[in-house]
Amino acid sequence: MTKFLISFPAPAMTVPAEDLPAVGEAARQVIRAAKAAGVYVFGGGINGAVAPVRVAPDGSVSHGTYPQTRELDGGFCVLELPSREDALLWSARIAAACRCAQELREFGDDPES
C-alpha cells in the first residue's frame, strides 16, 4: 500500500460564503467514507493564523519559510491506497466535495515509517 497526499491551496476554493457549510459537510462525508474504507491516515488544514518558523540542525529557530513554500496553505489528507488509480478516484471524490481541483502526490516508500 502506498500513501498519497491529496491537497489544494486555499485560494483554489472559490465558493460563495453561503455554500461553505455544504462544502464542509460534503468534504467530511468523503473523509468518513475513507475512514470506513480503512484508507484514511490523517488530514486537516494549514493554520494560516500561526506563522511558520524554520528550525535549524542546532535547534535555533528563525521566523519565516523557505521561499518556495511561502504560499503553503489550504487543506490536505493522506490516504493509504493500493494503487495510483485508487488515489485518482479518491482525489476526484474530494475535488467534487470541495468544488476545486486537488493535487495528488505520492509519498516515497520508507519501510520504517
Side-chain angles (χ1 to χ4, degrees):
M1 297 273 273
T2 303
K3 290 180 182 73
F4 293 89
L5 173 67
I6 302 169
S7 64
F8 66 93
M13 187 182 281
T14 57
V15 296
E18 63 269 14
D19 291 351
L20 285 176
V23 169
E25 179 54 29
R28 285 187 290 279
Q29 285 179 6
V30 175
I31 295 304
R32 285 192 289 270
K35 288 178 178 180
V39 299
Y40 182 81
V41 178
F42 71 96
I46 303 297
N47 186 346
V50 178
V53 298
R54 285 181 292 157
V55 181
D58 67 2
S60 63
V61 177
S62 60
H63 296 283
T65 67
Y66 287 107
Q68 63 270 33
T69 60
R70 197 166 304 283
E71 299 299 322
L72 182 61
D73 60 7
F76 68 92
C77 71
V78 175
L79 302 182
E80 190 165 26
L81 299 161
S83 70
R84 185 166 184 82
E85 291 74 26
D86 287 318
L88 291 167
L89 293 172
W90 280 101
S91 296
R93 291 178 72 177
I94 294 169
C98 292
R99 301 183 192 176
C100 64
Q102 302 291 302
E103 289 185 0
L104 176 64
R105 296 178 188 262
E106 185 173 319
F107 284 94
D109 182 44
D110 180 352
E112 294 197 29
S113 67

